[in-house]
Amino acid sequence: ERLSEAVIGVVGFPSDWLIASGVNYIDAQKKWGVIFKDIELYELSQRIDEVSVYKAEKIAQDFINGAVLLREPNEKDVIEGAKIYLALKELCREYSLDALTVRCFELLSKHETTGCLALSLLNNEDIVSGCEGDCQGTFSMLLLNFLTGSRSFMANPAYINIEKNDMVLAHCTIPTCITDKYEIRNHFESHLGVSVQGVVKEGPVTIFKCGGSKLDKYFLASGELLENLDDENMCRTQLKVHLNEDAGYFLRNPIANHHLLIKGDHTRLIDRFMQDMGCRRII
């Protein structure tokens, strides 16, 4: 019922390099009731320019105070990231959005910052927010939030060991509320702006993705978070996970790139719900 009333804002379009991350809006609405609403990037830029510097400074200072280290960026960089957060929050209010995804790499060229801090803070507040215009990933995050109450770490597989069923999931943002501590870093690919390197407590986790243009198939696995890594050749938050399913899926037949990690083993609940919704499990 909550999904059938939900609105997901798509700020910009899915990034060009994303593999199979688009959604047929009509089919998705028929199946789930959810509405995807396109919002032009210039609307976000307008609101960034209108943001109160005082409010951004306050948010930036709170974020810095909560971190264990401000590594590459300076305070001004964090303030610019806080402006993105305030602008996106204003779009959520104006369009009554339950979730959003933003073509965040476009912010690098126009505003010389990233959306990583903004997405982290919005997810902390249960405003589900996904990276790179990924419609499938953001819908999956919203579904998990409604079903389990969990915030998600959206990430890419950065390393896969099919013999041990181990993998590393990495991305430049994570909700800080699910971390034990975090550092403020610059963005991995561009070395600009602000990103988040979070440390998550080891233990049981669930890996999930609902995908397909009709949002009618899914991957699901329980696992164990083994280690938090600090490799300069990956995106900033890096979680090494042992899967209880065949990790070869990620090389053989993955549902796009981004997959989600949530803390705890919720596989029985998620699997029952997805089967009841007539979705096909991919292995």
Side-chain angles (χ1 to χ4, degrees):
E1 288 176 355
R2 293 179 71 186
L3 284 170
S4 70
E5 299 170 351
V7 180
I8 299 175
V10 184
V11 185
F13 301 94
S15 294
D16 299 335
W17 53 83
L18 289 184
I19 299 172
S21 293
V23 168
N24 183 308
Y25 292 179
I26 295 174
D27 287 342
Q29 187 174 5
K30 285 179 179 178
K31 182 168 184 60
W32 299 97
V34 65
I35 294 173
F36 287 87
K37 183 172 185 59
D38 289 333
I39 300 170
E40 296 289 345
L41 271 169
Y42 77 83
E43 294 194 49
L44 174 59
S45 289
Q46 285 180 343
R47 282 152 188 80
I48 292 170
D49 293 337
E50 296 166 357
V51 159
S52 162
V53 176
Y54 172 77
K55 289 183 179 180
E57 289 174 343
K58 178 66 168 64
I59 290 163
Q61 194 56 58
D62 289 345
F63 194 70
I64 292 170
N65 291 341
V68 296
L69 183 65
L70 178 65
R71 201 184 292 194
E72 298 92 355
N74 56 36
E75 184 176 352
K76 182 179 182 297
D77 295 324
V78 184
I79 292 169
E80 293 303 310
K83 289 181 180 179
I84 308 294
Y85 158 75
L86 289 168
L88 285 171
K89 196 166 182 178
E90 181 64 15
L91 282 180
C92 289
R93 186 192 67 79
E94 290 181 23
Y95 287 103
S96 300
L97 304 179
D98 299 278
L100 63 87
T101 181
V102 57
R103 189 180 171 107
C104 40
F105 274 75
E106 298 295 324
L107 300 173
L108 290 168
S109 57
K110 184 168 178 56
H111 298 280
E112 295 187 350
T113 190
T114 63
C116 304
L117 183 155
L119 301 185
S120 176
L121 293 180
L122 289 168
N123 279 306
N124 284 352
E125 299 174 11
D126 267 348
I127 302 173
V128 170
S129 303
C131 308
E132 299 172 55
D134 184 349
C135 297
Q136 295 181 18
T138 304
F139 171 81
S140 300
M141 295 173 75
L142 186 63
L143 188 157
L144 287 182
N145 183 263
F146 284 167
L147 191 60
T148 71
S150 300
R151 278 82 159 193
S152 304
F153 173 45
M154 176 191 281
N156 287 316
Y159 166 86
I160 299 166
N161 185 323
I162 58 175
E163 295 179 355
K164 294 183 177 180
N165 280 334
D166 290 347
M167 67 181 303
V168 175
L169 288 163
H171 233 209
C172 278
T173 186
I174 187 171
T176 57
C177 65
I178 67 173
T179 69
D180 286 354
K181 58 184 179 181
Y182 66 91
E183 295 182 13
I184 302 174
R185 304 291 308 274
N186 61 9
H187 183 245
F188 167 64
E189 288 91 344
S190 66
H191 299 288
L192 295 173
V194 173
S195 73
V196 185
Q197 182 169 348
V199 173
V200 181
K201 184 177 181 180
E202 293 86 353
V205 294
T206 301
I207 310 298
F208 175 73
K209 179 67 175 286
C210 177
S213 63
K214 299 180 180 181
L215 297 173
D216 59 354
K217 57 185 178 181
Y218 68 104
F219 172 80
L220 177 65
S222 61
E224 190 81 11
L225 174 55
L226 303 175
E227 188 179 0
N228 292 262
L229 304 180
D230 187 10
D231 186 332
E232 286 300 315
N233 297 309
M234 298 183 194
C235 289
R236 301 310 188 188
T237 297
Q238 307 161 11
L239 305 183
K240 183 177 180 181
V241 176
H242 173 74
L243 290 179
N244 296 325
E245 301 285 343
D246 181 11
Y249 150 84
F250 289 96
L251 301 176
R252 184 177 59 247
N253 191 30
I255 302 173
N257 284 349
H258 292 141
H259 282 65
L260 310 180
L261 177 146
I262 60 173
K263 298 168 71 173
D265 183 354
H266 302 273
T267 51
R268 290 183 64 185
L269 172 64
I270 296 168
D271 194 46
R272 176 179 174 180
F273 177 75
M274 298 303 287
Q275 290 291 324
D276 286 348
M277 289 301 299
C279 296
R280 178 167 59 94
R281 187 169 180 175
I282 306 298
I283 57 175

